Amino acid sequence: MKRPLRALAAVGLLAAGSIAAVALGGPASADTLICEQYGSTVIGGKYVVQNNRWGTTAQQCINATSTGFEITTQNGSSPTNGAPTAYPSIFVGCHYTNCSPGTNLPVQVSQISSAPSSINYRYVSGAIYNASYDIWLDPSPKRDGVNQMEIMIWLNRQGPIQPIGSPVGTANIAGRSWEVWRGNNGGNNVISYVASSAIPSLSFDVLHFINDTRNRGAITNSWYLTSIQAGFEPWQGGAGLAVTNFSQSVNTGTPPTTPPPGGTGGCAVKYTSNSWNNGFTADVQVTNTGSSTINGWTMTYNLPAGQQITSAWNATVTQSGSAVTARNISHNGTIAPGATVSFGYQGSLSGTYSSPTSFTLNGQSCTRS
């Protein structure tokens, strides 16, 4: 039940009027030691480093550097079958009214084209902890309090601890296989992606995990991404754990021209149509011809003049002028190498019918089959 405990602690702190625990500090040009329970500071003019000790009264101190932070003192201890002692972390976005400078969060998922991230961890032995990303989403653009959806990416797990809920399967994202857990901590829903072994560094797109969560029916494209956080949840020990480098951006607008997510990619499209005097139907089959699984897809193309889509199935299809955008729905967002998904629509027709000639998938051109 870790997040409700933190939420109650934060509410109590605000009620007591303690500003130092939740207010942003100045930009950290030199190392900054933070021992206040909810103390924080800004680094790089973009990120917030927070102590965020919420599960114990014992002292915890972190040292904010120019590129991350290190836990210098960790005196707390919690039973491994319960909540951790804290979540010292670095983040972009908004956490309990504490917003990082210049952030464009909250932003609606449908508006995100990519969310590139890079992190380097330093681990220690003899402690019980996880190294985790917390990705928070909500149906509304919240800047305070608990969000309804938490995505956790466990890059390292040490000791007899486990995510909230129970295993529900696996996912192939960022070129790796993850064990997927799903549950509720009493305050919000949680989906956790657990690595099979410790990952000391990783560069990936956070949007791929968000898309997988959406494909599982946990959120929709109308939800808002409110913050992305990376740090540690210690249960016992943890001094010396560090995020040595962290970068995170959230890009909006038209997706960049890059291969489909997951590595080397390719795609092929078969477009089958049937037309009559004033209408037409189309079936679109999309095949992953690449070597990596596609997790979440967006297809774009132009319809010839005189065609207007009126209804669609197996995809969310929108049209602006001649430009068409088709996005996967919950059950067909994952396309394994060699696999095919399909969607279709009906439209009105004015003039002579012809089919579109070029298609892109996640920004990459597809061949016609």
Coordinates of all heavy atoms in Angstrom, one line a residue, residues 1-6 54 83-84 87 130 132-138 146-154 162-169 179-194 209-210 212-214 216-219 223 233 235:
M1 N 0.8 -1.2 0.0 CA 0.0 0.0 0.0 C 0.9 1.3 0.0 O 0.7 2.2 0.8 CB -0.9 0.0 1.2 CG -1.8 -1.2 1.4 SD -3.0 -1.3 0.0 CE -3.9 -2.7 0.5
K2 N 1.9 1.3 -0.8 CA 2.9 2.3 -0.7 C 2.4 3.7 -1.1 O 2.7 4.7 -0.4 CB 4.1 2.0 -1.5 CG 3.9 1.8 -3.0 CD 5.2 1.2 -3.6 CE 5.0 1.0 -5.0 NZ 4.9 2.2 -5.8
R3 N 1.6 3.9 -2.1 CA 1.3 5.2 -2.6 C 0.3 5.9 -1.6 O 0.5 7.1 -1.3 CB 0.8 5.2 -4.0 CG 1.8 4.8 -5.0 CD 3.1 5.5 -4.9 NE 4.2 4.9 -5.6 CZ 5.4 5.0 -5.4 NH1 5.9 5.8 -4.5 NH2 6.3 4.4 -6.2
P4 N -0.7 5.3 -1.1 CA -1.6 5.9 -0.2 C -0.9 6.4 1.1 O -1.2 7.5 1.6 CB -2.6 4.9 0.2 CG -2.7 4.0 -1.0 CD -1.3 4.0 -1.5
L5 N 0.1 5.7 1.6 CA 0.9 6.1 2.7 C 1.6 7.4 2.4 O 1.6 8.4 3.1 CB 1.9 5.1 3.1 CG 1.3 3.8 3.8 CD1 2.4 2.8 4.0 CD2 0.6 4.2 5.1
R6 N 2.2 7.5 1.2 CA 2.9 8.7 0.8 C 2.0 9.8 0.6 O 2.2 11.0 1.0 CB 3.7 8.4 -0.5 CG 4.6 9.6 -0.9 CD 5.5 9.3 -2.0 NE 4.8 9.0 -3.2 CZ 5.4 8.7 -4.4 NH1 6.7 8.7 -4.5 NH2 4.6 8.5 -5.5
W54 N 8.8 8.7 2.9 CA 7.4 8.7 3.4 C 7.1 7.4 4.2 O 6.0 7.4 4.8 CB 6.5 8.8 2.2 CG 6.8 7.7 1.1 CD1 7.6 7.7 0.1 CD2 6.1 6.4 1.1 NE1 7.6 6.5 -0.6 CE2 6.7 5.7 0.0 CE3 5.1 5.8 1.9 CZ2 6.2 4.4 -0.3 CZ3 4.7 4.5 1.6 CH2 5.3 3.8 0.5
A83 N 5.4 -2.1 2.6 CA 5.8 -1.0 1.7 C 7.3 -0.6 2.0 O 7.8 -0.8 3.1 CB 4.9 0.3 2.0
P84 N 8.0 0.0 1.0 CA 9.3 0.5 1.2 C 9.4 1.7 2.1 O 8.3 2.2 2.5 CB 9.8 0.8 -0.2 CG 8.6 1.2 -0.9 CD 7.5 0.3 -0.4
Y87 N 11.0 6.8 -1.7 CA 11.3 6.7 -3.1 C 12.1 8.0 -3.5 O 11.6 8.9 -4.1 CB 10.0 6.7 -3.9 CG 10.2 6.5 -5.4 CD1 11.0 5.5 -5.9 CD2 9.6 7.4 -6.3 CE1 11.1 5.4 -7.3 CE2 9.8 7.3 -7.6 CZ 10.6 6.3 -8.1 OH 10.8 6.1 -9.5
N130 N 14.5 -1.9 -4.9 CA 14.3 -1.9 -6.3 C 14.8 -0.6 -6.9 O 14.9 0.4 -6.2 CB 12.9 -2.3 -6.8 CG 11.9 -1.1 -6.5 OD1 12.2 0.1 -6.6 ND2 10.7 -1.5 -6.2
S132 N 13.6 1.7 -9.9 CA 12.4 1.7 -10.7 C 12.0 3.1 -11.3 O 12.3 4.1 -10.6 CB 11.2 1.3 -9.8 OG 10.0 1.5 -10.4
Y133 N 11.5 3.1 -12.4 CA 10.8 4.2 -13.0 C 9.3 4.2 -12.5 O 8.7 3.2 -12.5 CB 10.7 4.1 -14.5 CG 11.9 4.7 -15.3 CD1 13.1 4.1 -15.2 CD2 11.7 5.9 -16.1 CE1 14.2 4.7 -15.9 CE2 12.8 6.4 -16.8 CZ 14.0 5.8 -16.7 OH 15.1 6.3 -17.4
D134 N 8.8 5.4 -12.1 CA 7.4 5.6 -11.8 C 6.9 6.5 -12.9 O 7.3 7.6 -13.1 CB 7.2 6.2 -10.5 CG 6.9 5.2 -9.4 OD1 7.2 4.0 -9.6 OD2 6.4 5.6 -8.3
I135 N 5.9 6.0 -13.6 CA 5.2 6.8 -14.7 C 3.8 7.0 -14.3 O 3.0 6.0 -14.1 CB 5.3 6.1 -16.0 CG1 6.8 5.8 -16.4 CG2 4.6 6.9 -17.1 CD1 7.0 4.8 -17.5
W136 N 3.3 8.2 -14.1 CA 2.0 8.5 -13.5 C 1.1 9.0 -14.6 O 1.5 9.9 -15.4 CB 2.1 9.5 -12.4 CG 2.8 8.9 -11.1 CD1 4.1 9.0 -10.8 CD2 2.1 8.1 -10.1 NE1 4.3 8.3 -9.6 CE2 3.1 7.8 -9.2 CE3 0.8 7.7 -9.9 CZ2 2.8 7.0 -8.0 CZ3 0.6 6.9 -8.8 CH2 1.5 6.6 -7.9
L137 N -0.2 8.5 -14.6 CA -1.2 9.0 -15.6 C -2.5 9.1 -14.9 O -2.8 8.4 -13.9 CB -1.3 8.0 -16.7 CG 0.0 7.7 -17.5 CD1 0.5 6.3 -17.2 CD2 -0.2 7.9 -19.0
D138 N -3.3 10.0 -15.4 CA -4.6 10.2 -14.8 C -5.6 10.7 -15.9 O -5.2 11.3 -16.9 CB -4.5 11.3 -13.7 CG -5.7 11.4 -12.8 OD1 -5.8 10.6 -11.9 OD2 -6.6 12.2 -13.1
V146 N -2.7 12.0 -5.8 CA -2.5 10.7 -6.3 C -3.2 10.5 -7.7 O -4.3 10.9 -7.8 CB -3.0 9.6 -5.4 CG1 -2.8 8.2 -6.0 CG2 -2.3 9.7 -4.0
N147 N -2.5 10.1 -8.7 CA -3.0 9.7 -10.0 C -3.7 8.4 -9.9 O -3.4 7.5 -9.1 CB -2.0 9.8 -11.1 CG -1.5 11.2 -11.3 OD1 -0.8 11.4 -12.3 ND2 -1.8 12.2 -10.5
Q148 N -4.5 8.1 -10.9 CA -5.2 6.8 -11.0 C -4.4 5.6 -11.5 O -4.7 4.5 -11.2 CB -6.5 6.9 -11.8 CG -7.6 7.8 -11.1 CD -8.9 7.7 -11.8 OE1 -9.2 6.7 -12.5 NE2 -9.7 8.8 -11.7
M149 N -3.3 5.9 -12.3 CA -2.6 4.9 -12.9 C -1.1 5.1 -12.7 O -0.5 6.2 -13.0 CB -2.8 4.8 -14.4 CG -2.2 3.6 -15.1 SD -3.0 2.1 -14.7 CE -1.5 1.1 -14.2
E150 N -0.4 4.0 -12.2 CA 1.0 4.1 -12.0 C 1.6 2.9 -12.8 O 1.3 1.8 -12.6 CB 1.4 3.9 -10.5 CG 2.8 3.8 -10.2 CD 3.1 3.5 -8.7 OE1 2.2 3.0 -8.0 OE2 4.3 3.7 -8.3
I151 N 2.6 3.3 -13.6 CA 3.4 2.3 -14.3 C 4.8 2.2 -13.7 O 5.4 3.3 -13.5 CB 3.6 2.6 -15.8 CG1 2.2 2.7 -16.5 CG2 4.4 1.6 -16.5 CD1 2.3 3.3 -17.9
M152 N 5.2 1.1 -13.3 CA 6.5 0.9 -12.7 C 7.4 0.0 -13.6 O 7.0 -1.0 -14.0 CB 6.4 0.3 -11.3 CG 5.7 1.1 -10.3 SD 5.9 0.5 -8.6 CE 7.6 1.0 -8.3
I153 N 8.6 0.5 -13.9 CA 9.6 -0.3 -14.6 C 10.7 -0.7 -13.6 O 11.5 0.2 -13.2 CB 10.1 0.5 -15.8 CG1 9.0 1.1 -16.7 CG2 11.0 -0.4 -16.7 CD1 9.5 2.0 -17.8
W154 N 10.8 -1.9 -13.2 CA 11.8 -2.4 -12.3 C 13.0 -2.9 -13.0 O 13.0 -3.9 -13.6 CB 11.2 -3.6 -11.5 CG 10.2 -3.2 -10.5 CD1 9.1 -2.3 -10.6 CD2 10.0 -3.8 -9.2 NE1 8.4 -2.3 -9.5 CE2 8.9 -3.2 -8.6 CE3 10.7 -4.7 -8.4 CZ2 8.4 -3.5 -7.3 CZ3 10.3 -5.1 -7.2 CH2 9.2 -4.4 -6.6
Q162 N 8.4 -7.9 -4.0 CA 7.7 -8.1 -5.3 C 6.8 -6.9 -5.6 O 6.4 -6.2 -4.7 CB 6.9 -9.4 -5.2 CG 5.7 -9.4 -4.2 CD 5.0 -10.7 -4.2 OE1 5.6 -11.8 -4.3 NE2 3.7 -10.6 -4.2
P163 N 6.4 -6.8 -6.8 CA 5.5 -5.7 -7.2 C 4.1 -5.9 -6.6 O 3.8 -7.0 -6.1 CB 5.5 -5.8 -8.7 CG 6.7 -6.5 -9.1 CD 6.9 -7.5 -8.0
I164 N 3.3 -4.9 -6.7 CA 1.9 -5.0 -6.2 C 1.1 -5.8 -7.2 O 1.3 -5.8 -8.4 CB 1.3 -3.6 -6.1 CG1 2.0 -2.8 -5.0 CG2 -0.2 -3.6 -6.0 CD1 1.7 -1.3 -5.0
G165 N 0.3 -6.7 -6.6 CA -0.6 -7.6 -7.4 C 0.0 -8.9 -7.7 O 0.7 -9.5 -6.9
S166 N -0.2 -9.4 -8.9 CA 0.3 -10.7 -9.3 C 0.7 -10.7 -10.8 O 0.3 -9.8 -11.6 CB -0.8 -11.7 -9.1 OG -2.0 -11.4 -9.8
P167 N 1.5 -11.7 -11.2 CA 1.9 -11.7 -12.6 C 0.8 -12.0 -13.5 O -0.1 -12.8 -13.2 CB 2.9 -12.9 -12.6 CG 3.3 -13.1 -11.2 CD 2.2 -12.7 -10.4
V168 N 0.8 -11.3 -14.7 CA -0.3 -11.5 -15.7 C 0.2 -11.8 -17.1 O -0.5 -12.0 -18.0 CB -1.2 -10.2 -15.8 CG1 -1.9 -10.0 -14.5 CG2 -0.4 -9.0 -16.2
G169 N 1.6 -12.0 -17.2 CA 2.1 -12.3 -18.5 C 3.5 -11.7 -18.7 O 4.2 -11.3 -17.7
E179 N 8.6 -9.3 -17.1 CA 7.5 -10.0 -16.5 C 6.5 -8.9 -16.1 O 6.9 -7.9 -15.5 CB 7.9 -10.7 -15.3 CG 6.8 -11.5 -14.6 CD 7.3 -12.3 -13.4 OE1 8.0 -11.7 -12.5 OE2 7.0 -13.5 -13.3
V180 N 5.2 -9.0 -16.4 CA 4.2 -8.0 -16.1 C 3.4 -8.4 -15.0 O 2.8 -9.5 -14.9 CB 3.4 -7.8 -17.4 CG1 2.4 -6.6 -17.1 CG2 4.2 -7.4 -18.6
W181 N 3.3 -7.5 -14.0 CA 2.4 -7.6 -12.8 C 1.3 -6.6 -12.9 O 1.5 -5.5 -13.4 CB 3.2 -7.4 -11.5 CG 4.2 -8.5 -11.2 CD1 5.3 -8.9 -12.0 CD2 4.3 -9.3 -10.0 NE1 6.0 -9.9 -11.4 CE2 5.4 -10.2 -10.2 CE3 3.5 -9.4 -8.9 CZ2 5.7 -11.1 -9.2 CZ3 3.8 -10.3 -7.9 CH2 4.9 -11.2 -8.1
R182 N 0.2 -6.9 -12.3 CA -1.0 -6.0 -12.3 C -1.7 -6.1 -10.9 O -1.9 -7.2 -10.4 CB -1.9 -6.3 -13.4 CG -3.0 -5.2 -13.7 CD -3.6 -5.4 -15.0 NE -4.6 -4.4 -15.3 CZ -5.1 -4.2 -16.5 NH1 -4.9 -5.0 -17.5 NH2 -6.0 -3.2 -16.7
G183 N -2.0 -4.9 -10.4 CA -2.7 -4.9 -9.1 C -3.2 -3.5 -8.7 O -3.2 -2.6 -9.6
N184 N -3.6 -3.3 -7.5 CA -4.1 -2.1 -7.0 C -3.6 -1.9 -5.5 O -3.7 -2.9 -4.8 CB -5.6 -2.0 -7.0 CG -6.1 -0.6 -6.5 OD1 -6.1 -0.3 -5.4 ND2 -6.6 0.2 -7.5
N185 N -3.0 -0.8 -5.2 CA -2.5 -0.6 -3.8 C -3.4 0.0 -2.9 O -3.1 0.4 -1.8 CB -1.2 0.2 -3.9 CG -1.4 1.6 -4.4 OD1 -2.5 2.1 -4.4 ND2 -0.3 2.2 -4.9
G186 N -4.7 0.1 -3.3 CA -5.7 0.8 -2.4 C -5.9 2.2 -2.7 O -7.0 2.8 -2.3
G187 N -5.0 2.8 -3.5 CA -5.2 4.2 -3.9 C -5.2 4.4 -5.4 O -5.7 5.4 -5.9
N188 N -4.5 3.5 -6.1 CA -4.4 3.6 -7.6 C -4.0 2.2 -8.2 O -3.6 1.3 -7.5 CB -3.3 4.6 -8.0 CG -2.0 4.4 -7.4 OD1 -1.6 4.8 -6.3 ND2 -1.2 3.5 -8.1
N189 N -4.3 2.1 -9.4 CA -3.9 0.9 -10.2 C -2.5 0.9 -10.5 O -1.9 2.0 -10.7 CB -4.8 0.8 -11.4 CG -6.2 0.5 -11.2 OD1 -6.6 -0.2 -10.3 ND2 -7.1 1.2 -11.9
V190 N -1.8 -0.3 -10.6 CA -0.4 -0.4 -10.8 C -0.2 -1.5 -11.8 O -0.7 -2.6 -11.7 CB 0.4 -0.7 -9.5 CG1 1.9 -0.7 -9.8 CG2 0.0 0.3 -8.4
I191 N 0.6 -1.2 -12.9 CA 1.2 -2.2 -13.8 C 2.7 -2.1 -13.7 O 3.2 -1.0 -13.8 CB 0.7 -2.0 -15.2 CG1 -0.8 -2.4 -15.3 CG2 1.5 -2.9 -16.2 CD1 -1.4 -2.3 -16.7
S192 N 3.3 -3.2 -13.4 CA 4.8 -3.2 -13.2 C 5.4 -4.1 -14.2 O 4.9 -5.2 -14.5 CB 5.1 -3.8 -11.8 OG 4.6 -3.0 -10.8
Y193 N 6.6 -3.7 -14.8 CA 7.4 -4.4 -15.7 C 8.7 -4.7 -15.1 O 9.5 -3.8 -14.8 CB 7.6 -3.6 -17.0 CG 6.3 -3.2 -17.7 CD1 5.5 -2.1 -17.3 CD2 5.8 -4.0 -18.8 CE1 4.3 -1.8 -18.0 CE2 4.6 -3.7 -19.4 CZ 3.9 -2.6 -19.0 OH 2.7 -2.3 -19.7
V194 N 8.9 -6.0 -14.8 CA 10.1 -6.4 -14.0 C 11.1 -7.1 -14.9 O 10.8 -8.1 -15.6 CB 9.6 -7.4 -12.9 CG1 10.8 -7.8 -12.0 CG2 8.5 -6.7 -12.1
F209 N 6.1 1.8 -23.1 CA 5.5 1.2 -21.9 C 4.1 1.7 -21.7 O 3.2 1.0 -21.4 CB 6.4 1.4 -20.7 CG 7.6 0.6 -20.6 CD1 8.8 1.1 -21.2 CD2 7.6 -0.6 -20.1 CE1 10.0 0.4 -21.1 CE2 8.8 -1.4 -20.0 CZ 10.0 -0.9 -20.6
I210 N 3.9 3.0 -22.0 CA 2.6 3.6 -21.9 C 1.6 2.9 -22.9 O 0.5 2.6 -22.6 CB 2.7 5.1 -22.1 CG1 3.4 5.8 -21.0 CG2 1.3 5.7 -22.3 CD1 3.7 7.3 -21.2
D212 N 1.9 -0.1 -24.2 CA 1.5 -1.4 -23.7 C 0.5 -1.4 -22.6 O -0.4 -2.3 -22.6 CB 2.8 -2.2 -23.2 CG 2.5 -3.6 -22.9 OD1 2.5 -4.4 -23.9 OD2 2.3 -4.0 -21.8
T213 N 0.6 -0.5 -21.7 CA -0.4 -0.3 -20.7 C -1.8 0.0 -21.3 O -2.8 -0.5 -20.8 CB 0.0 0.8 -19.7 OG1 1.2 0.4 -19.0 CG2 -1.0 1.0 -18.6
R214 N -1.8 0.9 -22.3 CA -3.0 1.2 -23.0 C -3.6 0.0 -23.6 O -4.8 -0.3 -23.6 CB -2.8 2.3 -24.0 CG -4.0 2.8 -24.8 CD -3.6 3.5 -26.0 NE -2.8 2.6 -26.9 CZ -2.0 3.0 -27.8 NH1 -1.7 4.3 -27.9 NH2 -1.3 2.1 -28.5
R216 N -3.4 -2.9 -22.8 CA -4.0 -3.9 -21.8 C -5.3 -3.3 -21.2 O -5.9 -3.9 -20.3 CB -3.0 -4.1 -20.7 CG -1.8 -4.8 -21.1 CD -0.7 -4.9 -20.1 NE 0.5 -5.5 -20.6 CZ 0.8 -6.8 -20.8 NH1 -0.1 -7.7 -20.3 NH2 1.9 -7.2 -21.3
G217 N -5.8 -2.2 -21.8 CA -7.1 -1.6 -21.3 C -7.1 -0.8 -20.1 O -8.1 -0.5 -19.5
A218 N -5.8 -0.5 -19.5 CA -5.7 0.2 -18.3 C -5.9 1.7 -18.4 O -6.3 2.3 -17.4 CB -4.4 -0.1 -17.6
I219 N -5.6 2.2 -19.6 CA -5.8 3.7 -19.8 C -6.3 3.8 -21.2 O -6.4 2.8 -22.0 CB -4.5 4.5 -19.6 CG1 -3.4 4.0 -20.7 CG2 -4.0 4.3 -18.2 CD1 -2.2 4.9 -20.8
W223 N -6.2 9.9 -21.6 CA -5.6 10.1 -20.3 C -4.3 11.1 -20.4 O -3.8 11.3 -21.5 CB -5.1 8.8 -19.7 CG -6.3 8.0 -19.1 CD1 -7.5 7.8 -19.7 CD2 -6.3 7.4 -17.8 NE1 -8.2 7.0 -18.9 CE2 -7.5 6.7 -17.7 CE3 -5.3 7.2 -16.8 CZ2 -7.9 6.0 -16.6 CZ3 -5.7 6.5 -15.7 CH2 -6.9 5.9 -15.6
E233 N 13.4 2.4 -4.4 CA 12.6 2.1 -3.3 C 13.4 1.2 -2.4 O 13.5 0.0 -2.6 CB 11.3 1.4 -3.7 CG 10.3 2.4 -4.4 CD 9.0 1.8 -4.7 OE1 8.9 0.5 -5.0 OE2 8.0 2.5 -4.7
W235 N 14.0 -1.0 1.0 CA 13.3 -1.6 2.2 C 14.3 -1.6 3.4 O 14.0 -1.3 4.5 CB 12.9 -3.0 1.9 CG 11.5 -3.1 1.3 CD1 10.3 -3.4 2.0 CD2 11.1 -2.8 -0.1 NE1 9.3 -3.4 1.1 CE2 9.7 -3.0 -0.1 CE3 11.7 -2.4 -1.2 CZ2 9.0 -2.9 -1.3 CZ3 11.0 -2.2 -2.4 CH2 9.7 -2.5 -2.4

